[in-house]
């Protein structure tokens, strides 16, 4: 299949793997700990497990699964907020599919749907505007979720809603931004990450420039990469080259999609619609300054939390869950005492088990029981 | 019966009165006409000799069809209701012979649509050599059902020489599929979710009896299933559980139509988990592999048949990826949902 098979060629994969092995053997010293490389994005985590990339690499490379799965890092209290709105009789609540199963204190959106709430899965937030126009006696609410990957489509939807003068449309804004979280990770004293695979789709919007501080201030190499297996292998080759050469730079493997400046039109839409919040809560990581967004005053009329005057739901994570330690490379998914016992994809307690993109869910789905 | 666009199912069609009798006589009896049905008794009366002349065990299966949308490229709910049950009987090795059908109709269903569904049931049954010999019709108020639900039950007789079943599966056996995977599931998803993909997506809905018939002559056929809901993954897990063996399949050997693959790539779904309505998963002894493959490929429904893997002695279902690394092929907990990132 065009645009897919080219990035899954086993022969090219062998060549890249051989290059990585060669460079790693030149870097590794006897008795030293393995290189810890963080793939920031849940999409990368999924691809690494699905294609078995972790099994193909030499043992001197270890993946650390970063905080880039927006569904996983969603605090339980936010789901309770969603359900509070969705269960109002006048509301049609619209969401992306993978937020449907995330558990809150009172179950998931799927449970709310079973109880009678009108919850609908959409593939594009623009579809929600059609629902709003077709149902003038209803309040249509879209659950705005995700990093800069999905933010532009939410922004475009809000611009359209304003242009069309819709008064029965609003969004429950839970968009988050990745850069402050990476900084917060690197500022933790006992976190030791040797390099980063940066998310391709986020970078398509923000460009590569915002990652500069990782190389300059924290002296870590970073490569922006795509989601196909050869993208990831090539980016790994670029990372180990940097480590081998003692360089710390921001490099771009995903040039076919990502430019240095990003997408100016998308960023303009984001600037018009969103502004940074003082701080945001992340499941497994706690509160991180400047990591979330809210609607600008010009768009605040579309803020579902203000419209429905929702309560602030605070739900503490299970103290035994080691989500934060997995997200920072301090432990592997199966080192957590809840993994595969009290915490499974069917009954997720921890953040990283709630979405198929999460490190624990991917580990459970693809590695459980494999030697 | 000449229906117009204005004619719809009403509560009277389920009342037992004149409207119902008219519907039965002018639609169902005409479409499904056969000696047993034409007797118009409360039950079909089938000479046992007709069954015992074919085999020594009865294969008996039932299924209910509640699909949305009811019309789709490659078929409709009626065709599906016949194919599904006929296939469930046929995978035992039986020759499917008789079907029952029960309709639950929602008040307001256009009669032209019902007529189209019934006609395609009749055509599919006739082509499969089975007779729809008894039935039932109920009408429920608007909103109490979604347009039309159909239940079919089927019987056939299993020839004395055939004893297929998952408990016969042994390590070293080969795993085959009869064609491309996921066509039905991808077609329905595209319509149901209004994805608007203009790709060539067509359901594989088909009666598999003629594809199965030549397999009865091959020694070493262990087990057959049609890979409907849950797809090939679900069948492999069922085989593994029943036999105590493991299943190992090769990603590179899986036949998948490019359009279906496109849907899966776009939404982050697995063709192995998508429903099929005209595909077999077959386990055979190693020495039967080539004969089975040749028999399948000799029929148009099996032209894309492929060997996809091997039965192992480690009790897990795994997939060997295109780069040689293996991963577990987990049975999805519920309906897969598309990912956003």
């Amino acid at each position: 299949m065009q645009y897919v098979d080219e990035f899954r060629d086993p022969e090219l994969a062998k060549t890249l793997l051989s290059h990585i092995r060669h460079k790693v053997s030149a870097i590794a010293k006897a008795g030293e700990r393995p290189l810890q490389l963080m793939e920031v994005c849940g999409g990368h985590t999924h691809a690494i497990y699905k294609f078995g990339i972790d099994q193909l690499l030499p043992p001197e490379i270890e993946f650390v699964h970063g905080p880039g799965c927006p569904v996983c890092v969603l605090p339980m209290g936010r789901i309770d907020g969603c359900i509070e709105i969705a269960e109002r009789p006048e509301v049609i609540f619209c969401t992306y599919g993978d937020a449907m199963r995330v558990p809150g204190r009172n179950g998931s959106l799927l449970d709310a749907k079973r109880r009678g709430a009108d919850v609908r899965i959409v593939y594009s937030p623009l579809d929600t505007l059609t629902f709003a126009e077709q149902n003038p006696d209803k309040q249509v609410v879209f659950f705005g979720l995700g990093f800069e990957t999905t933010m532009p489509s939410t922004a475009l939807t809000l611009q359209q809603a304003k242009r069309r003068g819709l008064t029965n449309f609003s969004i429950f804004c839970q968009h988050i931004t990745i850069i402050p979280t990476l900084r917060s990770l690197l500022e933790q004293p006992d976190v030791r990450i040797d390099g980063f695979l940066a998310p391709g789709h986020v970078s398509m919007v923000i460009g590569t420039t915002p990652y500069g501080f990782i190389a300059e201030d924290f002296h870590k190499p970073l490569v922006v990469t795509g989601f196909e297996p050869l993208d990831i292998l090539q980016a790994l080759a670029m990372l180990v080259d940097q480590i081998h050469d003692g360089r710390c730079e921001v490099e771009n493997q995903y040039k076919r999609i990502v430019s240095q400046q990003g997408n100016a039109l998308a960023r303009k839409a984001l600037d018009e619609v969103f502004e940074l919040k003082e701080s945001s809560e992340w499941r497994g990581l706690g509160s991180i300054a400047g990591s979330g967004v809210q609607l600008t005053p010009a768009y605040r009329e579309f803020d579902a939390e203000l419209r429905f005057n929702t309560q602030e739901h605070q739900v503490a994570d299970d103290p035994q869950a080691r989500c934060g330690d997995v997200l920072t490379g301090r432990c592997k998914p199966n080192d957590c005492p809840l993994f595969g016992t009290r915490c499974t994809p069917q009954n997720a307690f921890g953040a990283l088990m709630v979405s198929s993109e999460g490190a624990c869910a991917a580990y459970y789905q693809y590695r459980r029981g494999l030697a | 019966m000449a229906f117009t666009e204005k004619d719809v199912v009403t509560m009277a069609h389920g009342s037992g009165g004149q409207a119902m009798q008219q519907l039965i006589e002018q639609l169902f009896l005409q479409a499904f006409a056969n000696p047993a049905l034409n007797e118009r008794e409360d039950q079909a009366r089938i000479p046992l000799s007709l069954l015992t002349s074919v085999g020594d065990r009865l294969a008996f299966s039932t299924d209910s069809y509640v699909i949305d949308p009811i019309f789709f490229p490659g078929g409709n709910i009626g065709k599906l209701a016949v194919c599904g049950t006929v296939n469930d009987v046929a995978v035992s090795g039986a020759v499917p012979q008789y079907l029952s059908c029960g309709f639950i109709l929602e008040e307001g269903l256009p009669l032209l649509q019902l007529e189209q569904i019934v006609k395609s049931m009749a055509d599919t049954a006739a082509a499969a050599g089975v007779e729809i010999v008894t039935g039932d019709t109920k009408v429920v108020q608007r909103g109490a059902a979604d347009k039309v639900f159909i239940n079919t039950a089927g019987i056939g007789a299993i020839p004395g020489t055939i004893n297929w079943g998952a408990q016969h599966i042994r390590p070293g056996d080969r795993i085959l599929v009869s064609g491309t995977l996921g066509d039905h599931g991808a077609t329905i998803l595209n319509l149901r979710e209004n994805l608007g993909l203009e790709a060539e997506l067509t359901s594989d809905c088909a009666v598999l009896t003629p594809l199965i018939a030549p397999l009865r002559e091959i020694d070493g056929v262990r087990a057959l299933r049609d890979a409907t809901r849950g797809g090939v993954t679900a069948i492999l897990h069922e085989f593994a559980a029943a036999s105590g063996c493991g299943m190992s399949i090769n990603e590179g050997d899986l036949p998948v139509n490019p359009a279906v693959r496109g849907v899966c790539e776009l939404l982050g779904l697995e063709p192995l988990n998508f429903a099929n309505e005209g595909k077999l998963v077959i386990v055979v002894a190693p020495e039967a592999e080539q004969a089975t493959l040749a028999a399948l490929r000799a029929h148009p429904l099996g032209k894309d048949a492929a060997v996809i893997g091997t039965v192992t002695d480690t009790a897990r279902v795994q997939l060997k990826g295109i780069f040689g690394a293996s991963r577990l092929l987990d049975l999805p907990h519920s309906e897969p949902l598309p990912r956003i990132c």
Side-chain angles (χ1 to χ4, degrees), chain A residues 147-165:
Chain A
F147 292 99
E148 285 87 343
T149 315
T150 52
M151 258 190 235
S153 54
T154 308
L156 191 71
T157 303
L158 283 162
Q159 287 175 330
Q160 285 277 339
K162 197 175 180 69
R163 210 165 294 148
R164 297 186 203 178

Side-chain angles (χ1 to χ4, degrees), chain B residues 215-251:
Chain B
L215 304 185
R216 292 195 202 98
E217 309 301 318
I218 300 171
D219 282 339
V221 174
R222 309 276 204 219
L224 261 72
R225 295 274 167 94
D226 60 332
T228 53
R229 260 183 320 168
V232 173
T233 304
I235 301 299
L236 294 175
H237 278 270
E238 286 172 19
F239 280 165
S243 66
C245 299
M247 306 281 141
S248 176
I249 60 169
N250 299 314
E251 191 168 25

